[in-house]
Amino acid sequence: MLLIRFVHFLGMALWIGGMVAAMVLSVSARSATGAERNAAFRWAGRLYSLVVGPGALLTVVTGLVLTMSLAQRAGSQVMAQPSIWVMQVAGLVAGVLVLFVALPTSTHMARMADAAADGELPPAFGGMRRRLSMVVHVVAVLVVLSLFFVVVM
Ligand code: HEM
């Protein structure tokens, strides 16, 4: 189980680190124009598909394995502790939002930025950017909540 726990932490580091890096890129894209702005969105899309998505998948899958092991070792009383179930619920919801909403949206945006080369982005891009920003904020709150409950509570 030590290896599974290690992969759980590794996934978490990739997930959080990748999201912070993509957020910095998207914020700096605000003051950029043309080719520079579009390149920032392409890189943000790559970060989601190569770092954030795999990180979230690793965290959720190893979290489920750790849950089964903990249930066998310690029984249902431990599972009822908020430190465990808040992490599980918040982590699962955050993982689903990343894998099924943020990841496809950011890769779609990256493809649009790629097609635009150094020109203007299509009108649909603005709506996608707002959707991604909203989902990423919700995910960030859930991830911090998971970490806070499992470590501090
Ligand atoms: C953002 C998501 C998550 C974060 C930040 C997170 C964080 C952590 C941390 C820091 C630990 C180590 C706790 C310790 O050793 O004291 C841990 C362990 C664990 N995690 Fe997560 N986790 C997340 C998602 C999940 C999910 C989705 C599940 C299950 C569905 C899960 C199930 C577990 C279990 C069962 C343990 C082991 C508890 C034990 O053996 O004492 N985690 N997690």
Side-chain angles (χ1 to χ4, degrees):
M1 273 305 128
L2 270 184
L3 185 65
I4 300 292
R5 196 178 265 248
F6 166 76
V7 179
H8 196 58
F9 288 169
L10 182 67
M12 191 179 78
L14 291 173
W15 180 356
I16 298 174
M19 255 177 50
V20 171
M23 193 183 70
V24 171
L25 271 176
S26 304
V27 170
S28 25
R30 265 192 219 150
S31 51
T33 50
E36 197 184 333
R37 177 199 54 201
N38 297 355
F41 286 121
R42 277 201 301 274
W43 279 107
R46 269 181 218 153
L47 273 174
Y48 268 94
S49 48
L50 298 176
V51 182
V52 179
L57 193 63
L58 285 179
T59 310
V60 170
V61 170
T62 52
L64 293 173
V65 177
L66 286 170
T67 300
M68 286 188 276
S69 151
L70 188 64
Q72 269 176 355
R73 272 187 291 126
S76 55
Q77 263 181 336
V78 174
M79 289 297 182
Q81 284 175 9
S83 61
I84 296 291
W85 72 256
V86 171
M87 170 189 55
Q88 291 171 318
V89 174
L92 269 180
V93 174
V96 167
L97 284 176
V98 163
L99 294 170
F100 294 101
V101 185
L103 180 59
T105 306
S106 67
T107 45
H108 198 163
M109 284 168 65
R111 258 184 266 126
M112 282 176 162
D114 204 23
D118 54 358
E120 278 310 301
L121 292 161
F125 193 90
M128 290 199 155
R129 194 175 175 175
R130 276 190 296 280
R131 187 206 300 168
L132 184 63
S133 159
M134 197 182 72
V135 169
V136 165
H137 279 100
V138 173
V139 169
V141 170
L142 291 172
V143 169
V144 171
L145 196 73
S146 302
L147 199 54
F148 180 82
F149 265 80
V150 75
V151 176
V152 179
M153 299 299 278

Coordinates of all heavy atoms in Angstrom, one line a residue, residues 5 8-9 12 15-16 59-60 62-70 73 78-79 84 87-94 142-144 146-147 150-151, ligand 1:
R5 N 0.0 4.7 -2.0 CA 0.0 6.0 -1.3 C 0.9 7.0 -2.0 O 0.6 8.1 -2.2 CB 0.4 5.8 0.2 CG 0.0 6.9 1.1 CD 0.5 6.5 2.5 NE -0.6 5.9 3.2 CZ -1.2 6.6 4.2 NH1 -0.8 7.7 4.6 NH2 -2.2 6.0 4.8
H8 N -0.7 8.1 -5.0 CA -1.8 9.1 -4.7 C -1.2 10.5 -4.5 O -1.7 11.4 -5.0 CB -2.4 8.6 -3.4 CG -3.7 9.2 -3.0 ND1 -4.8 9.1 -3.8 CD2 -4.2 9.9 -1.9 CE1 -5.9 9.7 -3.2 NE2 -5.5 10.2 -2.1
F9 N -0.1 10.5 -3.8 CA 0.6 11.9 -3.6 C 1.2 12.4 -4.9 O 1.1 13.6 -5.1 CB 1.7 11.8 -2.6 CG 1.2 11.5 -1.1 CD1 2.1 11.2 -0.2 CD2 -0.1 11.7 -0.8 CE1 1.7 11.0 1.1 CE2 -0.5 11.5 0.5 CZ 0.3 11.1 1.5
M12 N -1.6 13.8 -6.9 CA -2.1 15.0 -6.3 C -1.1 16.2 -6.7 O -1.6 17.3 -7.0 CB -2.1 14.8 -4.8 CG -2.8 15.8 -4.0 SD -2.7 15.3 -2.3 CE -1.0 15.7 -1.9
W15 N -1.6 17.1 -10.4 CA -2.9 17.7 -10.5 C -2.8 19.2 -10.1 O -3.1 20.1 -10.9 CB -3.9 16.9 -9.7 CG -5.3 17.4 -9.8 CD1 -5.8 18.5 -10.4 CD2 -6.4 16.7 -9.2 NE1 -7.2 18.6 -10.2 CE2 -7.6 17.5 -9.4 CE3 -6.6 15.5 -8.4 CZ2 -8.9 17.1 -9.0 CZ3 -7.8 15.2 -8.0 CH2 -9.0 16.0 -8.2
I16 N -2.4 19.4 -8.9 CA -2.4 20.8 -8.3 C -1.3 21.6 -9.1 O -1.6 22.7 -9.5 CB -2.1 20.8 -6.8 CG1 -3.3 20.0 -6.1 CG2 -2.1 22.2 -6.3 CD1 -3.1 19.8 -4.6
T59 N -4.8 10.1 -8.9 CA -5.3 10.4 -7.6 C -6.6 9.7 -7.3 O -6.8 9.0 -6.2 CB -5.5 11.9 -7.4 OG1 -4.4 12.6 -7.8 CG2 -5.8 12.3 -5.9
V60 N -7.6 9.7 -8.2 CA -8.9 9.1 -8.0 C -8.7 7.6 -8.0 O -9.3 6.9 -7.1 CB -9.9 9.6 -9.1 CG1 -11.2 8.8 -9.0 CG2 -10.2 11.1 -8.9
T62 N -6.1 5.7 -7.3 CA -5.4 5.2 -6.1 C -6.2 5.5 -4.9 O -6.2 4.7 -3.9 CB -4.0 5.9 -6.0 OG1 -4.1 7.3 -6.1 CG2 -3.0 5.4 -7.0
G63 N -7.0 6.6 -4.9 CA -7.9 6.9 -3.8 C -8.9 5.8 -3.6 O -9.2 5.4 -2.4
L64 N -9.4 5.2 -4.7 CA -10.4 4.1 -4.6 C -9.7 2.9 -4.0 O -10.3 2.2 -3.2 CB -11.0 3.9 -5.9 CG -11.9 5.0 -6.5 CD1 -12.4 4.7 -7.9 CD2 -13.1 5.2 -5.6
V65 N -8.5 2.6 -4.4 CA -7.8 1.4 -3.9 C -7.5 1.6 -2.4 O -7.7 0.7 -1.6 CB -6.4 1.2 -4.7 CG1 -5.6 0.1 -4.1 CG2 -6.7 1.0 -6.2
L66 N -7.0 2.8 -2.0 CA -6.8 3.1 -0.6 C -8.1 3.0 0.2 O -8.0 2.5 1.3 CB -6.2 4.5 -0.5 CG -4.8 4.7 -0.9 CD1 -4.4 6.2 -0.9 CD2 -3.8 4.0 0.0
T67 N -9.2 3.4 -0.4 CA -10.5 3.2 0.3 C -10.8 1.8 0.6 O -11.2 1.4 1.7 CB -11.6 3.8 -0.6 OG1 -11.3 5.2 -0.8 CG2 -13.0 3.7 0.1
M68 N -10.6 0.9 -0.4 CA -10.9 -0.5 -0.2 C -10.0 -1.1 0.9 O -10.4 -1.8 1.8 CB -10.7 -1.3 -1.5 CG -11.9 -1.0 -2.5 SD -11.9 -2.0 -3.9 CE -10.7 -1.2 -5.0
S69 N -8.7 -0.7 0.8 CA -7.7 -1.2 1.8 C -8.1 -0.7 3.2 O -8.0 -1.5 4.2 CB -6.3 -0.8 1.4 OG -5.5 -0.7 2.5
L70 N -8.4 0.6 3.3 CA -8.7 1.1 4.6 C -10.0 0.5 5.2 O -10.1 0.2 6.4 CB -8.9 2.6 4.5 CG -9.1 3.4 5.8 CD1 -7.8 3.3 6.6 CD2 -9.4 4.9 5.5
R73 N -9.0 -2.9 6.5 CA -8.2 -2.8 7.7 C -8.9 -2.3 8.9 O -8.8 -2.8 10.0 CB -7.0 -1.9 7.4 CG -5.8 -2.6 6.8 CD -4.6 -1.6 6.8 NE -4.8 -0.5 5.8 CZ -4.7 0.8 6.0 NH1 -4.4 1.2 7.2 NH2 -4.9 1.6 5.1
V78 N -13.9 4.2 10.7 CA -12.9 5.1 10.2 C -13.5 5.9 9.0 O -13.2 7.1 8.9 CB -11.6 4.4 9.9 CG1 -10.6 5.3 9.2 CG2 -11.0 3.8 11.2
M79 N -14.2 5.2 8.2 CA -14.7 5.8 6.9 C -15.7 6.9 7.3 O -15.9 7.8 6.5 CB -15.5 4.7 6.1 CG -14.6 3.7 5.5 SD -13.5 4.6 4.3 CE -12.7 3.2 3.7
I84 N -11.8 11.6 6.4 CA -11.7 10.7 5.3 C -12.8 11.0 4.3 O -12.6 11.1 3.1 CB -11.8 9.2 5.8 CG1 -10.6 8.9 6.7 CG2 -11.9 8.3 4.6 CD1 -9.3 8.8 5.9
M87 N -12.6 14.2 2.1 CA -11.6 14.0 1.1 C -12.1 13.2 -0.1 O -11.9 13.5 -1.3 CB -10.3 13.4 1.6 CG -9.3 13.0 0.5 SD -8.0 12.0 1.0 CE -8.7 10.7 1.8
Q88 N -12.8 12.1 0.3 CA -13.3 11.2 -0.8 C -14.3 11.8 -1.7 O -14.2 11.8 -2.9 CB -13.8 9.9 -0.1 CG -12.8 9.0 0.5 CD -13.4 7.9 1.3 OE1 -14.4 8.1 2.0 NE2 -12.8 6.7 1.2
V89 N -15.3 12.5 -1.0 CA -16.4 13.1 -1.8 C -15.9 14.3 -2.6 O -16.1 14.3 -3.8 CB -17.6 13.5 -0.9 CG1 -18.7 14.2 -1.7 CG2 -18.2 12.2 -0.2
A90 N -15.2 15.2 -1.9 CA -14.7 16.4 -2.6 C -13.7 16.0 -3.7 O -13.7 16.6 -4.8 CB -14.1 17.4 -1.6
G91 N -12.8 15.0 -3.4 CA -11.8 14.6 -4.4 C -12.5 13.9 -5.6 O -12.1 14.2 -6.7
L92 N -13.5 13.1 -5.3 CA -14.2 12.4 -6.5 C -14.9 13.5 -7.4 O -14.8 13.4 -8.6 CB -15.2 11.4 -5.9 CG -14.8 10.0 -5.7 CD1 -15.9 9.2 -5.2 CD2 -14.2 9.4 -7.0
V93 N -15.6 14.4 -6.7 CA -16.4 15.4 -7.5 C -15.4 16.2 -8.3 O -15.5 16.5 -9.5 CB -17.2 16.3 -6.6 CG1 -17.9 17.4 -7.4 CG2 -18.3 15.5 -5.9
A94 N -14.2 16.6 -7.7 CA -13.2 17.4 -8.4 C -12.6 16.6 -9.5 O -12.4 17.2 -10.6 CB -12.1 17.9 -7.4
L142 N -12.5 22.5 -4.1 CA -12.7 21.1 -3.6 C -11.3 20.5 -3.3 O -11.2 19.7 -2.3 CB -13.4 20.3 -4.7 CG -14.9 20.7 -4.9 CD1 -15.4 20.0 -6.2 CD2 -15.7 20.4 -3.7
V143 N -10.3 20.7 -4.1 CA -9.0 20.1 -3.8 C -8.4 20.6 -2.5 O -7.9 19.8 -1.7 CB -8.0 20.4 -5.0 CG1 -6.6 19.9 -4.7 CG2 -8.5 19.6 -6.3
V144 N -8.5 21.9 -2.3 CA -7.9 22.5 -1.1 C -8.7 21.9 0.1 O -8.2 21.6 1.2 CB -8.0 24.0 -1.1 CG1 -7.6 24.6 0.2 CG2 -7.0 24.5 -2.2
S146 N -10.3 19.0 0.3 CA -9.8 17.6 0.5 C -8.6 17.6 1.3 O -8.4 16.8 2.3 CB -9.5 16.9 -0.8 OG -10.6 16.9 -1.7
L147 N -7.6 18.4 0.8 CA -6.3 18.4 1.5 C -6.4 18.8 2.9 O -5.8 18.2 3.8 CB -5.3 19.3 0.7 CG -3.9 19.1 0.8 CD1 -3.4 17.7 0.6 CD2 -3.1 20.0 -0.2
V150 N -8.1 16.0 5.2 CA -7.3 14.8 5.4 C -6.1 15.1 6.2 O -5.6 14.3 7.0 CB -7.1 14.0 4.1 CG1 -6.0 14.7 3.3 CG2 -6.7 12.6 4.4
V151 N -5.5 16.3 6.1 CA -4.2 16.6 6.8 C -4.5 17.3 8.1 O -3.8 16.9 9.1 CB -3.3 17.4 5.9 CG1 -2.1 17.8 6.6 CG2 -2.9 16.7 4.6
Ligands
HEM1 C1 -8.0 16.3 -4.5 C2 -8.1 15.1 -4.1 C3 -7.4 14.4 -3.0 C4 -6.4 14.9 -2.1 C5 -5.8 16.3 -2.1 C6 -6.1 13.8 -1.3 C7 -5.1 13.8 -0.3 C8 -4.7 12.7 0.5 C9 -3.7 12.8 1.5 C10 -2.8 14.0 1.8 C11 -3.6 11.5 2.1 C12 -2.7 11.0 3.2 C13 -3.3 11.2 4.5 C14 -2.3 10.7 5.6 O1 -1.4 9.9 5.3 O2 -2.5 11.2 6.7 C15 -4.6 10.7 1.4 C16 -4.9 9.4 1.8 C17 -6.0 8.7 1.4 N1 -6.9 9.1 0.4 FE1 -6.9 10.9 -0.6 N2 -6.9 12.7 -1.6 C18 -7.7 13.0 -2.6 C19 -8.6 12.3 -3.3 C20 -9.1 11.0 -2.8 C21 -10.2 10.3 -3.4 C22 -11.0 10.7 -4.6 C23 -10.3 9.2 -2.6 C24 -11.3 8.0 -2.7 C25 -12.3 8.0 -3.4 C26 -9.2 9.2 -1.6 C27 -9.0 8.2 -0.6 C28 -8.0 8.2 0.3 C29 -7.7 7.2 1.3 C30 -8.6 6.0 1.6 C31 -6.5 7.5 1.9 C32 -5.8 6.7 3.0 C33 -6.2 7.0 4.4 C34 -5.5 6.2 5.4 O3 -5.0 5.1 5.1 O4 -5.4 6.6 6.5 N3 -8.5 10.3 -1.7 N4 -5.3 11.5 0.5

